[in-house]
Amino acid sequence: MESHFDSHVEQHNEDEFQKSFKEMISTLPKGNSWGLPDHLYQYQDFWFTSPFLQGVLLAQQQFEAQPTDIILSSAPRTGTAWLKSLTFATITRTSYDDSTTPLLFRMPHDVVPFMELDHAHFSANRHLGIPLLATHAPYSFLPTSIIDSGCKIIYICRDPKDTFVSMYHICTRYAKSQNTQPIELDEAFELFCEGVSWYGPYWDHVLGYWKASLEHPDKFMFLKYEEMNEDTVLYLKKLAEFMGCPFSTEEQQKGVPEKIIKMCSFENLSNLEVNKSGIHREGQGNLEIQNKIYFRKGKVGDWKNYLTPKMATQLDQITQQKLSSSGLSLN
Ligand code: A3P
């Protein structure tokens, strides 16, 4: 049992960490905030806001992965909430069905803890047999315990054009909800292309996980939003197998995978009261955000409605150049 002394020492270490983090961050290159209250800071070639960088570094020091953990990794706006809901519903399917699942009253980001901000509370979920932990950390930033424990990692990525459009929209919606001046599309586009975006450069984020997945295929599942969208049943079955809880023949005959997919569909989740009117991280300052802002269209190829042909070509060229000789394609 934790003694008063242990928690005192822990607090002391945490205070020391906060102090040195504040000193360190003041020395980092500062990037545009995309119209949001927090600036981006560049640390070891990636861009983060202060609370997320602090969270990643703290997790590196404190998080102790177990071999049975399953890490859901992604760059922002690539399908994280969808992946969380599908994996959560699959892993908990013997405890809940589509009329009792916590997804009915908690948004996907609230059912799977986020390593950067919630890793200290993750053990409670582990004990309940829900070993899912999400992160946006680039591969090179993962705590060494994740790599050393050999736990499984599921990564999802998306066409950079749709990722950018989705990121631009969440920023403008959030800025409007905070009564701050939203960023213009052209400016956001230039920043994204330069790599100055949350956990960006986006391409480097994807490549880090792609290369690791080639080196350790047994420990990695590498997904694309577009492929998941094209054949969700196939990918959900693969996910279940990878997580060690494949659908039985009887479950497949009863249409359990299809029910999970329907439950986790954009149409269903975005119309639930919790996702229309709830608040994520309520009372946590700049981290507080309306749940509905996370749900926009959930479509493949919506970039066509926002990017000029010239912008699309520019992004495609960057993608081609960055991914050349990697064996990966993103559009
Ligand atoms: P759009 O902005 O293109 O609609 P993330 O969860 O990583 O932030 O990704 C957000 C993107 O996933 C948004 O894309 C969002 O609308 C979409 N999304 C959210 N829930 C989804 C679901 N259940 N199915 C498919 N897409 C979903």
Side-chain angles (χ1 to χ4, degrees):
M1 197 180 159
E2 191 188 60
S3 69
H4 176 69
F5 177 74
D6 288 338
S7 61
H8 179 77
V9 171
E10 229 167 67
Q11 186 59 47
H12 177 73
N13 291 343
E14 195 118 347
D15 291 347
E16 282 293 305
F17 176 85
Q18 296 258 5
K19 201 170 145 233
S20 57
F21 178 76
K22 266 194 184 155
E23 280 166 18
M24 187 276 289
I25 205 165
S26 65
T27 66
L28 298 179
K30 213 168 167 183
N32 191 293
S33 69
W34 287 56
L36 303 187
D38 287 327
H39 279 276
L40 290 167
Y41 294 91
Q42 191 181 35
Y43 183 81
Q44 293 178 357
D45 299 331
F46 284 91
W47 291 91
F48 306 83
T49 56
S50 160
F52 292 99
L53 177 57
Q54 181 171 332
V56 172
L57 299 182
L58 203 57
Q60 285 179 355
Q61 286 192 5
Q62 297 182 344
F63 180 59
E64 287 173 26
Q66 295 181 3
T68 46
D69 290 345
I70 300 174
I71 310 295
L72 308 180
S73 293
S74 58
R77 310 312 290 161
T78 58
T80 316
W82 190 24
L83 181 62
K84 283 181 179 178
S85 60
L86 287 171
T87 50
F88 178 84
T90 301
I91 278 195
T92 61
R93 68 186 187 271
T94 52
S95 311
Y96 308 111
D97 62 23
D98 49 7
S99 65
T100 56
T101 174
L103 285 163
L104 291 171
F105 47 88
R106 292 170 69 195
M107 73 104 67
H109 292 312
D110 289 333
V111 297
V112 177
F114 184 50
M115 185 187 80
E116 286 85 317
L117 303 174
D118 314 311
H119 76 265
H121 309 297
F122 172 51
S123 50
N125 270 22
R126 257 194 204 130
H127 286 131
L128 292 172
I130 311 170
L132 301 168
L133 182 69
T135 181
H136 286 320
Y139 183 72
S140 56
F141 282 72
L142 289 181
T144 45
S145 73
I146 291 185
I147 315 295
D148 295 346
S149 69
C151 67
K152 292 177 181 167
I153 300 179
I154 303 173
Y155 185 74
I156 186 162
C157 62
R158 189 180 191 188
D159 182 333
K161 300 191 288 304
D162 278 334
T163 304
F164 163 69
V165 166
S166 187
M167 192 173 282
Y168 162 72
H169 276 104
I170 198 169
C171 290
T172 52
R173 286 163 148 213
Y174 184 70
K176 282 178 192 157
S177 76
Q178 299 292 305
N179 293 321
T180 58
Q181 183 64 38
I183 192 168
E184 295 293 332
L185 182 80
D186 288 356
E187 190 186 4
F189 182 76
E190 287 312 316
L191 289 166
F192 188 83
C193 290
E194 287 161 15
V196 187
S197 60
W198 283 260
Y199 295 85
Y202 176 61
W203 300 270
D204 297 347
H205 198 287
V206 180
L207 276 174
Y209 281 94
W210 172 248
K211 287 178 185 161
S213 75
L214 296 179
E215 280 167 29
H216 310 282
D218 51 325
K219 294 293 168 203
F220 271 87
M221 185 156 187
F222 193 93
L223 299 166
K224 295 180 185 172
Y225 184 93
E226 296 75 15
E227 289 176 353
M228 294 263 294
N229 192 64
E230 183 85 23
D231 194 343
T232 317
V233 177
L234 174 74
Y235 283 95
L236 184 66
K237 286 182 188 169
K238 285 187 183 192
L239 269 171
E241 252 170 59
F242 181 72
M243 293 192 295
C245 50
F247 293 105
S248 65
T249 312
E250 196 191 338
E251 282 181 312
Q252 297 196 40
Q253 278 163 356
K254 283 188 182 160
V256 175
E258 288 78 4
K259 281 186 190 157
I260 289 176
I261 288 167
K262 196 170 169 208
M263 169 71 214
C264 300
S265 67
F266 180 87
E267 289 66 31
N268 187 56
L269 290 184
S270 61
N271 279 308
L272 294 175
E273 199 48 45
V274 61
N275 296 324
K276 288 199 283 193
S277 60
I279 313 261
H280 181 56
R281 300 202 183 277
E282 194 162 14
Q284 294 185 36
N286 290 343
L287 297 172
E288 181 175 309
I289 180 166
Q290 294 166 340
N291 290 348
K292 67 178 178 196
I293 292 182
Y294 283 107
F295 296 88
R296 196 179 63 92
K297 287 190 186 169
K299 294 258 179 290
V300 170
D302 186 47
W303 60 265
K304 292 190 188 96
N305 297 314
Y306 296 93
L307 303 185
T308 62
K310 192 173 162 230
M311 288 164 120
T313 307
Q314 188 179 335
L315 261 187
D316 283 345
Q317 280 173 350
I318 297 175
T319 303
Q320 239 176 6
Q321 185 201 339
K322 288 264 197 182
L323 303 191
S324 69
S325 74
S326 70
L328 176 67
S329 74
L330 281 180
N331 39 32

